[in-house]
Amino acid sequence: LAQAAVRKHDTPRLVRLDNLERFVEGTQYEGLPDFWTAIKVPLLERAPAIVDPVADDAIQSFIDLILGEHRFPDFEIKGIDPDALGKLFRRSRFRAAAKQMLAAGLKCGTAATVFGIRAGKPFVDGIPAKWSTPEFDPKTGCVSKLTIRYAYVEEYKEAGEWKARALLFKRVIDATHDTTFLPIPAQLTGDIEEQWTADPAATFAHGHPRCPVIWWPVMAEQSIVGHIDGHAIHETQLDEIFAHDMALSQLARATYFAGDPQIWETGVEVGSNPSPGGRAVTTPASPTGGP
């Protein structure tokens, strides 16, 4: 029931972006019948036995080309000493974060980042775009508010037994505050009771002059109103990826079923049988005769 409640709160956009991510992570066939044992299920309705990470390979190749060794771009900011800027980048793990965000954007079409100061150190955090809904300043085009909301399953122990329940998470980052709310139950109907209460331990004024969020839709051009995502690197190749995985799986299947050496004869006359014969055909009979 907990998993069913979580699925009821999955928006069409979350499902679409999550599916694109699964094709990169190699989990796109979860839930389908097994390739080898589900013999009563049509072959094209089974999960391929081989999942080739072609989408992930393409993404990693793209990252190496753009942000790889000796390829990472140099930055200059007017008024900031280059050594100080380099130190800032190192302390915030900027290069690693840049690679992670490029991968996230190519994976589902959009990358979302939150930046700030944590425990006296600069940080850059990635937020899964499928959980996030931005609002934009019409004048600047920058993010003015980011709402992060998703359903999840929490496992807990009660009276010595493990149980599970579905909860909703919500966090809002705007121009002045970063607010995380206390979780509320996820209704099995999919309805949301807007009775959110801010968690005082996870709510604070971030101190930035604007909302500290960067929203990057990959390869996005002009689009219809309300379309906030870009384009994943493999979004038009999902059928081809499935066909590729199925072809490799069929190759493995043929190897198992027909790959052993087959006995055959050559250089003998037609009808000749040099192999030893079998037992003579006999008809069982009773001691007194008759069948």
Side-chain angles (χ1 to χ4, degrees):
L1 288 178
Q3 284 289 358
V6 168
R7 297 285 77 82
K8 284 290 185 179
H9 289 269
D10 288 347
T11 65
R13 175 175 173 268
L14 184 149
V15 172
R16 183 173 66 255
L17 268 59
D18 182 70
N19 185 54
L20 290 170
E21 291 182 350
R22 286 178 177 274
F23 269 84
V24 177
E25 297 164 357
T27 59
Q28 66 269 35
Y29 307 122
E30 286 184 351
L32 294 179
D34 181 69
F35 183 82
W36 299 109
T37 60
I39 57 177
K40 295 184 178 181
V41 179
L43 194 64
L44 293 180
E45 295 179 13
R46 306 180 206 170
I50 297 177
V51 182
D52 192 4
V54 291
D56 186 55
D57 288 345
I59 289 174
Q60 296 306 320
S61 177
F62 200 89
I63 292 174
D64 289 341
L65 179 66
I66 303 300
L67 302 176
E69 192 69 25
H70 305 300
R71 292 181 178 273
F72 201 91
D74 293 326
F75 291 89
E76 294 182 2
I77 300 179
K78 187 176 181 180
I80 298 182
D81 181 74
D83 291 338
L85 184 61
K87 184 177 180 180
L88 176 66
F89 281 173
R90 288 190 294 273
R91 295 190 68 184
S92 63
R93 298 178 60 252
F94 179 76
R95 290 196 175 200
K99 292 180 179 180
Q100 291 168 1
M101 292 308 100
L102 180 56
L106 294 172
K107 183 185 290 187
C108 72
T110 304
T113 56
V114 178
F115 56 88
I117 304 294
R118 181 185 296 131
K121 294 183 179 181
F123 73 88
V124 180
D125 281 349
I127 304 294
K130 62 185 178 183
W131 298 340
S132 309
T133 304
E135 296 180 17
F136 300 97
D137 185 328
K139 295 182 179 179
T140 64
C142 297
V143 177
S144 59
K145 180 181 178 181
L146 184 73
T147 300
I148 305 163
R149 185 166 63 190
Y150 57 86
Y152 65 99
V153 174
E154 179 187 62
E155 296 178 344
Y156 64 99
K157 205 169 188 179
E158 184 178 84
E161 294 184 1
W162 283 102
K163 298 183 178 180
R165 58 190 171 198
L167 298 173
L168 286 172
F169 173 88
K170 183 179 179 180
R171 177 185 176 191
V172 176
I173 307 172
D174 56 26
T176 58
H177 286 77
D178 188 332
T179 305
T180 299
F181 297 86
L182 296 172
I184 63 175
Q187 303 296 326
L188 190 57
T189 60
D191 297 330
I192 298 176
E193 298 178 2
E194 293 290 350
Q195 298 177 352
W196 298 96
T197 302
D199 184 353
T203 298
F204 54 92
H206 53 65
H208 293 283
R210 66 176 183 86
C211 180
V213 173
I214 298 295
W215 186 265
W216 179 48
V218 180
M219 297 181 286
E221 300 176 354
Q222 295 296 325
S223 60
I224 60 175
V225 174
H227 193 82
I228 58 177
D229 297 305
H231 302 283
I233 194 171
H234 59 297
E235 67 178 17
T236 62
Q237 305 298 318
L238 303 187
D239 288 344
E240 287 75 9
I241 292 174
F242 170 72
H244 175 70
D245 290 342
M246 187 58 70
L248 292 179
S249 301
Q250 279 286 73
L251 180 62
R253 186 167 178 256
T255 301
Y256 284 121
F257 291 171
D260 289 338
Q262 303 296 309
I263 298 176
W264 64 292
E265 298 173 346
T266 184
V268 296
E269 296 180 2
V270 177
S272 174
N273 184 14
S275 302
R279 294 180 302 157
V281 178
T282 59
T283 303
S286 67
T288 57

